[in-house]
Amino acid sequence: MSERRYIRLKESTPNLDGMRNRPDGYLEATDGTIGDGPWRVRTDEHGFITTGNETADGAPPIAFLGDSFVEATFTPEDVRFVSQVERHLASDGLKFRCLNGGYSGATTLQLFNVFLNKIVPLVGRGGTVVFFLPQSDLPIYFRPHSYWYPTDRYAPLLPPVQPEASDLPRGSGALTSILGLAVWAAKEFGIDLVLVTSPHRNAQWATDSYYHRMISEDQHTSLVQRRADIRGAVQRFVADSGVKFIDADAEFLDKPSAFYDELHLNDEGHDIFSAWFADQLRLLLDR
């Protein structure tokens, strides 16, 4: 029996209203600063996670794309940084609807698919898209087949198949090619694109009890090297392309206490990040 293939659209289930609990064993994979939960998760008819804020009728949208850093469903609805950014902007008279399109495990290639096929027809010409470079790229960045890695989690096609091309780009070559497509598509469709590096927990292995407990020193060294390669590739791309850019990664390199694990902000981290990020975004929106 033949099986049809399709491109997976990484989005939350539309029209959802439910409570999310920590999975068994999740607390042990954190530094203990995650909340107790459960957390309410609501989505609109397009699968965007709602902010819980009241927004003005006809307020222009800002779509936020990213992985679980943006999704942030193990955080109270009104504490998630996308929700707080919406309120920070509104307090300055900038009335926007902030659409949380974060999805756990999404890669840059998968987010580009969401951008082109979902976001463009929703925000339209003159709309704004804030594109967080996902930490989910790290496991496949240097692997053979890279963004076309043939697993259910990473492959752009389902069911996944082994790519046959012998010269698929990987590493910085693959990343910057996909980002180039995103910048080109944004210009073609008249969309204001803001590229953002996703921050992460940055600390010395020997002195950070969380890293010391979770991974070996060699694993930590490899992680730091891969992140440095991605950071350098993005910085070179931004310099060449001129795309609007917020380097949240660099800003939060000295704030490991803002994270409850390697990648996710705790509630206090969301407060700190949202205030800083709203200031950065406000400057770009004002132009």
Side-chain angles (χ1 to χ4, degrees), residues 19 85 95 119 165 182 188 229 238 241 248 251 278 286:
M19 304 301 292
V85 166
K95 308 295 186 180
I119 302 300
E188 288 294 308
D229 190 277
V238 169
S241 68
E251 176 66 21
D286 284 345

Side-chain angles (χ1 to χ4, degrees), residues 12 20 38-41 49 68 70-76 80:
S12 297
R20 186 171 188 186
W39 300 274
R40 189 178 189 184
V41 180
I49 299 169
S68 56
V70 176
E71 183 185 58
T73 49
F74 290 153
T75 309
R80 294 170 194 146

Side-chain angles (χ1 to χ4, degrees), residues 48-287:
F48 292 110
I49 299 169
T50 60
T51 62
N53 303 324
E54 294 292 331
T55 56
D57 291 340
I62 301 177
F64 288 69
L65 293 180
D67 59 6
S68 56
F69 176 81
V70 176
E71 183 185 58
T73 49
F74 290 153
T75 309
E77 184 178 67
D78 63 342
V79 176
R80 294 170 194 146
F81 79 83
V82 175
S83 178
Q84 293 199 58
V85 166
E86 187 176 69
R87 295 197 300 274
H88 282 303
L89 294 177
S91 68
D92 288 336
L94 299 173
K95 308 295 186 180
F96 289 97
R97 289 183 298 120
C98 290
L99 308 175
N100 185 339
Y103 191 88
S104 179
T107 68
T108 298
L109 177 57
Q110 291 164 339
L111 292 178
F112 173 67
N113 174 53
V114 174
F115 170 68
L116 184 62
N117 291 295
K118 174 180 174 176
I119 302 300
V120 166
L122 284 177
V123 305
R125 188 169 295 277
T128 301
V129 175
V130 180
F131 194 118
F132 279 78
L133 287 157
Q135 297 284 351
S136 301
D137 286 3
L138 280 170
I140 58 168
Y141 188 66
F142 287 121
R143 287 193 183 188
H145 312 312
S146 190
Y147 291 95
W148 297 267
Y149 196 67
T151 65
D152 286 346
R153 183 180 183 89
Y154 295 111
L157 288 175
L158 292 179
V161 295
Q162 187 83 5
E164 295 183 2
S166 60
D167 59 348
L168 275 174
R170 57 179 173 173
S172 61
L175 174 60
T176 56
S177 292
I178 297 167
L179 292 179
L181 288 173
V183 170
W184 171 81
K187 290 179 180 178
E188 288 294 308
F189 291 103
I191 289 174
D192 191 21
L193 181 67
V194 181
L195 191 64
V196 187
T197 51
S198 296
H200 64 281
R201 185 190 199 101
N202 181 66
Q204 296 294 321
W205 180 84
T207 58
D208 185 272
S209 59
Y210 170 78
Y211 272 135
H212 204 274
R213 175 168 55 89
M214 296 300 298
I215 59 176
S216 70
E217 187 172 11
D218 287 345
Q219 289 172 320
H220 182 264
T221 299
S222 174
L223 193 62
V224 170
Q225 290 173 342
R226 278 180 286 156
R227 286 199 167 114
D229 190 277
I230 291 177
R231 187 182 305 115
V234 172
Q235 290 170 344
R236 291 190 297 272
F237 173 81
V238 169
D240 291 339
S241 68
V243 66
K244 292 182 178 180
F245 179 56
I246 299 175
D247 197 350
D249 184 28
E251 176 66 21
F252 275 71
L253 287 177
D254 62 345
K255 299 176 177 64
S257 63
F259 300 83
Y260 67 71
D261 63 4
E262 182 189 343
L263 304 175
H264 304 102
L265 295 167
N266 53 35
D267 290 3
E268 183 179 355
H270 278 275
D271 292 342
I272 296 169
F273 183 78
S274 62
W276 175 82
F277 190 77
D279 286 342
Q280 305 304 306
L281 186 58
R282 188 183 298 112
L283 294 174
L284 298 180
L285 294 174
D286 284 345
R287 284 192 213 170

